[in-house]
Amino acid sequence: MKTIDQLLDEGVNGKRVFVRADLNVPLADGQITDDGRIRAVLPTVQALTGAGAKVVVASHLGRPKGAPDPAFSLLPAAERLGELLGEPVAFAQDTVGPAAHAAVDGLEPGQVAVVENLRFNPGETSKDDAERGTFADALAALADVYVGDGFGAVHRKHASVYDLPARLPHYAGHLIATEVGVLRKLTDDVQRPYAVVLGGAKVSDKLGVIDNLLEKADRILIGGGMVFTFLKAKGYEVGASMLQEDQIPVVQEYLKRAGEKGVEFVLPVDVVVSGGFPDLKAKEATHPDVVPADAIPAGQMGLDIGPATAELYATELADARTIFWNGPMGVFEHPDYADGTRAVAQALLDSPAFTVVGGGDSAAAVRLLGFDENAYGHISTGGGASLEYLEGKTLPGLAALED
């Protein structure tokens, strides 16, 4: 895989460089609530503009249905990119049409244009190779060189991620090179003890990574909504908590395998519960209770790990040399249910380990709860991509950058 450093050595002055970024930022009423993914691509964009490239930035945002939808416009992300660069950024109101070509043709060396949401074109996400290829051909007409830097999308076989690199000289941007280097430290060059903290809503989203990490990790700590399937698998009642009953046999098998392999599976000893899911907009006090993990009352919903569990997890992480964390411990967006996630975030900071926060909600939680992201070893921009890499899968967007 050739990197942007090699591209810069070859020279890019006056060349049109297509940067496939991940500007898929969360929006509320048209306002960006977390610009972490935009800031993550800055080193690549700045390196290229500083070397005189004409930079064409492209990304998806959300899940539009293959047609323009104002709710998913990249305009807010383009404006924020311009603010962070301290330079105006041209914005094209289409992806490969007249506006895109006019914006690119109008670039001077060192300037940037952002084209509209790639997923406004059905060819971007099509399962049909020919349809994706036709869209990739149209994208290729905008540039001379391709730089892949949207790590959050490399697990997708999409036109701009998989097909376009085959049509242009291609290189990995700074972000992708960094992400791959970090993930290798979690798979091929692990310092032990190796602790993994997994949370989030659904256990089904994490089964593949658990399966693979049973061969690599020394201990696995579970939280979030997914934990109640584990508790149920141990025979505990979970009240009205989130539960995937169809996954109980799989979870029981994983618990058995962990015991056979000497991998420590750590589950909560207490849980924060309430009578229902909180209002995340109003964030009014809900007066939750703390109960033992094996005694969740009927009708009560588990929404966070309890204080004793938070202490237990901090102890389990204290002597680790490598920690990977993916998924919050509870409904961290509400102050009544943020303490478990806050405790894990703090435990990573207190540990001497190489720490990786695995993207998605975990990264958002670190920022929302006021932690210094630079204090962690690495905060990934791609939750799904990170998990699939750790599952041992081949990621199409990385394979496409290899020669």
Side-chain angles (χ1 to χ4, degrees):
M1 186 185 296
K2 291 193 291 187
T3 69
I4 187 175
D5 290 331
Q6 292 165 276
L7 172 60
L8 293 171
D9 287 342
E10 295 165 11
V12 293
N13 188 44
K15 290 185 178 179
R16 300 171 302 163
V17 181
F18 188 103
V19 176
R20 198 338 179 156
D22 180 8
L23 308 182
N24 185 28
V25 291
L27 297 171
D29 300 321
Q31 300 297 310
I32 296 171
T33 58
D34 182 352
D35 67 358
R37 285 177 170 167
I38 301 175
R39 288 185 284 111
V41 79
L42 284 178
T44 289
V45 173
Q46 289 171 325
L48 291 168
T49 56
K54 301 176 180 180
V55 180
V56 184
V57 178
S59 176
H60 70 288
L61 192 151
R63 296 179 182 271
K65 306 297 184 183
D69 183 339
F72 297 106
S73 175
L74 270 179
L75 179 58
E79 291 175 341
R80 181 60 180 149
L81 177 62
E83 291 172 1
L84 292 168
L85 290 171
E87 300 287 346
V89 167
F91 180 71
Q93 293 183 324
D94 59 30
T95 305
V96 292
H101 281 274
V104 174
D105 291 344
L107 290 176
E108 296 292 334
Q111 293 184 337
V112 180
V114 177
V115 297
E116 186 53 285
N117 193 333
L118 291 162
R119 291 185 182 174
F120 285 179
N121 189 303
E124 169 67 0
T125 59
S126 176
K127 297 281 193 291
D128 182 79
D129 291 349
E131 187 177 14
R132 278 199 330 274
T134 297
F135 185 49
D137 288 339
L139 291 171
L142 296 172
D144 307 304
V145 181
Y146 177 92
V147 172
D149 214 33
F151 181 74
V154 293
H155 58 314
R156 306 295 188 191
K157 192 175 181 180
H158 291 171
S160 66
V161 175
Y162 179 75
D163 302 273
L164 181 55
R167 288 155 168 80
L168 294 170
H170 46 269
Y171 303 80
H174 288 308
L175 175 61
I176 280 186
T178 298
E179 293 271 12
V180 171
V182 165
L183 288 170
R184 284 178 178 153
K185 289 185 178 181
L186 299 178
T187 52
D188 302 328
D189 185 26
V190 179
Q191 299 295 309
R192 299 187 180 279
Y194 179 16
V196 176
V197 186
L198 296 176
K202 295 182 178 179
V203 68
S204 56
D205 293 341
K206 302 292 197 306
L207 290 179
V209 74
I210 293 172
D211 185 65
N212 206 34
L213 286 171
L214 282 172
E215 306 296 326
K216 300 180 185 297
D218 297 302
R219 62 190 72 135
I220 301 175
L221 288 60
I222 304 293
M226 62 184 281
V227 78
F228 300 104
T229 303
F230 281 86
L231 295 176
K232 187 73 172 179
K234 289 177 69 69
Y236 301 162
E237 289 304 317
V238 297
S241 306
M242 176 173 284
L243 177 65
Q244 289 186 284
E245 290 202 50
D246 60 322
Q247 302 297 334
I248 289 174
V250 182
V251 166
Q252 289 172 329
E253 176 62 26
Y254 284 165
L255 291 171
K256 178 184 175 185
R257 276 178 56 198
E260 293 169 350
K261 291 181 174 294
V263 177
E264 187 182 0
F265 241 109
V266 190
L267 299 177
V269 294
D270 60 348
V271 179
V272 181
V273 299
S274 180
F277 198 84
D279 185 333
L280 298 184
K281 284 193 174 181
K283 297 186 179 179
E284 295 176 351
T286 60
H287 309 294
D289 293 317
V290 177
V291 300
D294 61 354
I296 299 174
Q300 293 289 294
M301 178 182 294
L303 296 168
D304 194 13
I305 60 172
T309 303
E311 288 187 24
L312 170 65
Y313 285 13
T315 301
E316 292 283 347
L317 297 174
D319 68 339
R321 303 302 298 179
T322 303
I323 302 173
F324 174 69
W325 171 32
N326 182 283
M329 296 294 97
V331 186
F332 70 92
E333 300 93 338
H334 193 286
D336 288 350
Y337 309 102
D339 286 349
T341 301
R342 183 181 290 108
V344 167
Q346 185 63 51
L348 264 68
L349 292 183
D350 294 340
S351 168
F354 173 65
T355 56
V356 179
V357 180
D361 285 341
S362 311
V366 164
R367 289 188 276 266
L368 180 67
L369 297 176
F371 289 92
D372 178 6
E373 24 184 338
N374 296 318
Y376 296 91
H378 181 70
I379 294 186
S380 179
T381 58
S386 296
L387 289 177
E388 291 199 15
Y389 189 101
L390 293 178
E391 286 176 38
K393 292 183 177 180
T394 296
L395 305 189
L398 295 184
L401 293 174
E402 296 172 352
D403 289 315

